[in-house]
Amino acid sequence: MWRSMEMSIYEIWNEVDLYMNNKLIQPDPILEEVLKANQKAGLPAIDVSPSQGKFLHLLASLKGAKRILEIGTLGGYSTIWLARALPKDGQLITLELSAQHAEVARANLKRAGVSHLVEVIVGPGLDTLAVLKDKGTDPFDLIFIDADKPNNPNYLKWALELSKGSLIICDNVVRQGHVVNAESEDENVKGIRQFMNALAQEKRISATAIQTVGSKGYDGFILGIVE
């Protein structure tokens, strides 16, 4: 008998996530190895969940993305999900501040057989984005923002500069519900609220929010199309 009355809401979210994953996502030893490698290297366990990774993969596939920009690499888990949606002549550029994280990510990308599709650039994201713009980089079809939240408003500005009919996705925008707290002193919450204010005033993008629950708790994504 299912013991729902004995479970906390967080345990139920996790159980449902596991159930959906078991039904809809095939076991993937490579991605399991990637997460183990990240843990062994001491990276924080803040990767997207398997269901969220497949969600990103499906969005990239639906978009028919040939060029993807990811802001925030960590160990490359979400990078792999996105890269697997690319055609043979596709390209994914991912930006990572930490040289250590980038080294782990490159090994993981090689392990997953997608390193030929991905360029990992190390350095402050805002500096790298400016360089990409100055170099006349072609627009990206999909841009995934998942880095330091206080800089989200700045990442949005650069994403718009590097877009043309692009799909922009931003992760971790609900913050366990704290996004509605106008008095929060949390710099991450402040960054998301500033990001939301910028979106509300931006006429070039049509966006919506998706709230999520599961093994990663209560959070959500912003999805927007640059018009």
Side-chain angles (χ1 to χ4, degrees):
M1 182 176 180
W2 190 50
R3 52 190 182 88
S4 61
M5 298 302 293
E6 304 171 11
M7 300 168 69
S8 71
I9 188 63
Y10 304 103
E11 289 173 324
I12 292 173
W13 290 348
N14 189 62
E15 287 290 324
V16 171
D17 224 6
L18 290 172
Y19 172 77
M20 295 296 184
N21 289 348
N22 289 336
K23 292 295 183 181
L24 302 176
I25 303 176
Q26 295 296 318
D28 193 320
I30 290 175
L31 286 175
E32 291 174 7
E33 288 177 17
V34 166
L35 292 177
K36 289 178 182 177
N38 290 352
Q39 182 181 33
K40 184 177 180 180
L43 274 61
I46 55 175
D47 312 271
V48 298
S49 68
S51 59
Q52 292 168 343
K54 189 166 185 180
F55 177 65
L56 294 173
H57 175 88
L58 291 174
L59 288 174
S61 297
L62 287 167
K63 178 63 177 171
K66 292 186 67 174
R67 287 178 52 75
I68 297 175
L69 173 65
E70 180 183 49
I71 304 174
T73 313
L74 194 62
Y77 183 78
S78 57
T79 319
I80 293 167
W81 275 109
L82 288 166
R84 285 176 170 179
L86 288 170
K88 292 181 180 180
D89 59 345
Q91 182 186 34
L92 190 156
I93 294 176
T94 182
L95 314 183
E96 175 55 49
L97 176 63
S98 166
Q100 179 206 358
H101 293 179
E103 182 179 356
V104 174
R106 289 190 181 105
N108 284 334
L109 294 166
K110 184 176 181 180
R111 179 181 287 111
V114 296
S115 57
H116 62 291
L117 296 170
V118 182
E119 179 182 3
V120 182
I121 302 178
V122 179
L126 296 179
D127 294 347
T128 305
L129 290 164
V131 170
L132 291 174
K133 179 64 176 178
D134 289 343
K135 289 169 60 177
T137 300
D138 291 336
F140 294 93
D141 303 306
L142 184 151
I143 298 174
F144 180 43
I145 303 172
D146 191 16
D148 53 312
K149 310 312 172 188
N151 264 321
N152 268 14
N154 297 318
Y155 293 141
L156 176 62
K157 291 177 183 178
W158 280 113
L160 289 167
E161 289 291 320
L162 296 166
S163 294
K164 185 177 181 182
S166 309
L167 172 61
I168 296 177
I169 309 166
C170 185
D171 195 12
N172 305 130
V173 299
V174 173
R175 315 299 305 177
Q176 303 290 343
H178 294 293
V179 68
V180 300
N181 182 5
E183 298 178 358
S184 175
E185 294 301 318
D186 186 319
E187 293 301 320
N188 292 319
V189 173
K190 289 181 179 179
I192 294 296
R193 288 181 62 86
Q194 291 166 9
F195 171 79
M196 296 296 291
N197 289 339
L199 272 178
Q201 298 169 12
E202 180 54 63
K203 303 301 182 184
R204 292 173 289 174
I205 185 169
S206 178
T208 191
I210 302 293
Q211 298 185 67
T212 61
V213 296
S215 60
K216 295 294 182 178
Y218 174 36
D219 218 321
F221 292 93
I222 289 290
L223 305 174
I225 292 286
V226 180
E227 298 176 339

